Amino acid sequence: MVLDDLGSSLRGTLDKLQGKTTLSEDDVEAIVKEIQRSLLSADVDVDLVMALSDSIRERAVEEEPPAGTTARDHVLKIVYEEMVELVGESTDLPLEEQTIVLAGLQGSGKTTTAAKMAWWFSKKGLRPAVVQTDTFRPGAYEQAKEMCERAEVEFYGNPDNDDPVDIARTGLEETADADVHIVDTAGRHALEEVLIDELERIESVADPDRNLLVLDAAIGQGAKDQAERFHDAVGIDGVVITKLDGTAKGGGALAAVDQTDSSIAFLGTGEEVKDVERFEASGFISRLLGMGDLKQLSERVERAMAETQAEEDWDPEDLMQGEFTLKDMRNQMNAMNRMGPLDQVLDMIPGLGGGIKDQLPEDAMDMTQERLRDFEVIMDSMTDAELEHPRAIGQSQIERIARGSGKDEETVRELLEQHKMMSQMMKQFQGMGEGDMQRMMKQMGGGGGGGGGGGLGGMGPFGD
């Protein structure tokens, strides 16, 4: 996940309390020092780290843990609550008609963010449009157009017009039928007067409901200064933190924004248009500490299933009756691919992200993704009859499939064995009554991170 180093460091620190039923002051002090080291390594401001560690130290020593709660779970809950407080609330962003202007320095990721946000709004049932006004950076129009095509959202730009204000005016008129207008603006290497003037003139035309500042996570705690300067110059209603997947300083950027009069709206977590998520402090910190995020997970599952159904004419409920075929398995794999990188998905599952994932080899996720791609290639080399009745596939067919797919026979057998295991699991599900299913889901929701499960519907992992 994003901030992997910070997350694994915090989880490793808390795991040192495993098996303890009581906490001494020395235990607390050792844990606090480790947490300080982890946060400072993530470029969190020293004063913030000291204030946070004081709160954790005081609460861990003075608060009595509930009956039956282990020392680790008690401290985990305190760390979770204090870190949620540290990063602050999410920017208010209702799902309704609105105009959003994006501002930021050159290289912060505004153009990519515009397409990502448009994609996000489209998945919420709104019709977005991106208006590209950057006439300063070479290639800005082409990049924006390509990203919006990948996001399958409406786009307006004019590479023959060098007046960004006129482009904004015309673009808003041409895309008047859209529910959400996202106006991408030019950046500079610094907050210069010419940039401020351009933003103010675009604002006067766009009359935005919200101004969002786009910040590169790599600036760390420098996010505080940049957010304050942009806010003083043009007014900022929220911040988008980009490139969180590529820096260890993201924690500093997240914490710094809350020290301004602003808040965080979105997080950019990769290069694809779907690598964006609405920031919610409780779910984000829960994932960071290895406790999962069932709300974010359920949203991804629903979206992936809907997209797969639309493309493949496939109903997941069919899995609960009849034979589980290789076609069903391929549809499940397609849905998984649409949920995003496997390591991000695992982080959202209580008990699977965090600690368990930390024990895997560094390349385990890449190997798993590669194996899934191998399986897909192999299935493409099978006949419809083989996909429908994989148990009937014999040695001669395995040899033919291996030659046709360019994969070895062992990988073909591995796919068939994987299908056999999944088929047996589906039969177990088919035999479950509604009460059995509810008990299983309750266990999943209650077992994350050793500290209580992640709840759906916006609840935190401790039911708050």
Side-chain angles (χ1 to χ4, degrees):
M1 66 171 287
V2 297
L3 301 182
D4 251 339
D5 291 343
L6 175 58
S8 59
S9 179
L10 289 171
R11 294 189 294 268
T13 296
L14 292 166
D15 284 345
K16 293 177 181 178
L17 295 176
Q18 209 72 267
K20 288 183 178 285
T21 54
T22 58
L23 283 174
S24 68
E25 290 195 17
D26 288 342
D27 290 331
V28 173
E29 196 58 41
I31 291 298
V32 167
K33 286 189 184 309
E34 290 287 344
I35 291 173
Q36 288 175 349
R37 189 176 296 113
S38 300
L39 293 173
L40 290 172
S41 296
D43 202 38
V44 179
D45 179 76
V46 174
D47 291 339
L48 287 179
V49 173
M50 292 303 112
L52 178 77
S53 50
D54 285 345
S55 296
I56 293 172
R57 182 186 293 109
E58 182 178 334
R59 291 184 59 187
V61 171
E62 295 182 2
E63 292 182 11
E64 282 292 323
T69 303
T70 66
R72 180 188 182 278
D73 288 355
H74 177 52
V75 175
L76 177 65
K77 182 175 188 293
I78 292 171
V79 172
Y80 163 80
E81 290 171 349
E82 292 295 332
M83 289 192 68
V84 167
E85 182 73 21
L86 175 72
V87 297
E89 297 180 357
S90 175
T91 306
D92 181 39
L93 206 64
L95 296 175
E96 61 188 27
E97 292 189 8
Q98 58 191 297
T99 298
I100 300 169
V101 169
L102 298 184
L105 298 183
Q106 190 169 335
S108 60
K110 292 188 302 300
T111 299
T112 302
T113 296
K116 287 181 174 183
M117 285 176 53
W119 176 85
W120 185 87
F121 277 113
S122 74
K123 296 305 176 184
K124 297 296 181 181
L126 296 170
R127 181 182 172 186
V130 173
V131 179
Q132 167 59 246
T133 70
D134 186 353
T135 61
F136 179 77
R137 179 171 65 88
Y141 169 84
E142 289 78 10
Q143 182 193 5
K145 186 172 185 294
E146 181 194 350
M147 291 292 294
C148 288
E149 287 174 353
R150 284 159 56 186
E152 298 181 335
V153 296
E154 191 173 358
F155 169 77
Y156 179 85
N158 187 347
D160 299 321
N161 189 343
D162 60 2
D163 183 351
V165 179
D166 185 52
I167 295 174
R169 182 187 297 109
T170 306
L172 292 168
E173 292 171 355
E174 292 289 327
T175 60
D177 291 340
D179 301 315
V180 180
H181 290 93
I182 301 171
V183 182
D184 181 21
T185 64
R188 299 293 190 278
H189 293 299
L191 186 57
E192 305 161 358
E193 284 301 320
V194 63
L195 175 57
I196 295 172
D197 177 65
E198 185 175 302
L199 287 170
E200 288 176 341
R201 288 189 295 123
I202 289 174
E203 268 194 55
S204 68
V205 169
D207 188 24
D209 298 283
R210 285 164 190 83
N211 289 330
L212 297 184
L213 173 65
V214 181
L215 294 175
D216 186 334
I219 67 172
Q221 59 184 278
K224 177 182 178 181
D225 177 56
Q226 199 170 127
E228 286 177 339
R229 288 191 293 120
F230 265 91
H231 184 69
D232 292 343
V234 294
I236 294 298
D237 301 299
V239 171
V240 180
I241 305 286
T242 66
K243 310 175 189 177
L244 264 173
D245 56 317
T247 178
K249 292 187 175 184
L254 289 167
V257 170
D258 190 52
Q259 302 310 298
T260 69
D261 290 330
S262 195
S263 55
I264 301 170
F266 288 97
L267 302 176
T269 58
E271 296 180 359
E272 299 298 320
V273 289
K274 64 183 179 181
D275 293 335
V276 62
E277 63 181 68
R278 188 80 165 88
F279 176 72
E280 291 187 16
S282 59
F284 184 82
I285 297 301
S286 178
R287 267 181 284 158
L288 199 66
L289 296 175
M291 298 182 293
D293 182 358
L294 285 179
K295 182 183 178 186
Q296 183 74 226
L297 178 65
S298 65
E299 287 182 6
R300 290 205 186 193
V301 169
E302 287 174 16
R303 185 173 69 227
M305 286 297 189
E307 290 175 357
T308 304
Q309 280 180 264
E311 189 172 298
E312 306 289 346
D313 189 25
W314 172 66
D315 188 348
E317 291 187 9
D318 291 345
L319 296 175
M320 301 310 292
Q321 51 198 348
E323 280 295 312
F324 178 73
T325 69
L326 276 171
K327 287 183 177 179
D328 293 322
M329 183 174 172
R330 180 164 58 185
N331 286 328
Q332 280 194 334
M333 286 166 52
N334 287 339
M336 280 182 61
N337 286 334
R338 287 184 166 95
M339 288 170 64
L342 190 57
D343 59 337
Q344 289 184 17
V345 175
L346 286 180
D347 279 320
M348 296 174 193
I349 304 174
L352 284 188
I356 290 180
K357 204 186 75 179
D358 290 343
Q359 297 170 25
L360 298 174
E362 285 188 13
D363 61 349
M365 293 298 107
D366 293 335
M367 288 171 61
T368 304
Q369 295 280 116
E370 186 178 333
R371 186 47 52 99
L372 289 176
R373 285 192 291 270
D374 287 345
F375 285 172
E376 194 165 353
V377 170
I378 290 169
M379 284 188 276
D380 286 342
S381 296
M382 292 181 176
T383 65
D384 281 344
E386 288 165 344
L387 291 170
E388 291 286 354
H389 306 287
R391 289 179 182 272
I393 295 175
Q395 178 58 32
S396 62
Q397 291 163 292
I398 289 175
E399 292 172 1
R400 192 205 82 243
I401 293 166
R403 285 196 304 271
S405 63
K407 306 299 175 184
D408 57 52
E409 294 179 22
E410 186 60 36
T411 307
V412 178
R413 291 192 190 90
E414 188 178 334
L415 166 62
L416 296 174
E417 186 61 31
Q418 189 72 38
H419 167 266
K420 184 179 177 182
M421 290 169 57
M422 290 180 70
S423 180
Q424 291 170 346
M425 185 175 67
M426 292 311 304
K427 283 180 179 174
Q428 288 181 332
F429 280 129
Q430 289 171 0
M432 279 186 176
E434 189 173 334
D436 297 321
M437 282 290 223
Q438 288 178 347
R439 277 193 294 274
M440 184 186 74
M441 292 304 294
K442 188 174 181 181
Q443 286 173 351
M444 277 188 65
L456 295 172
M459 290 178 63
F462 298 95
D464 33 61

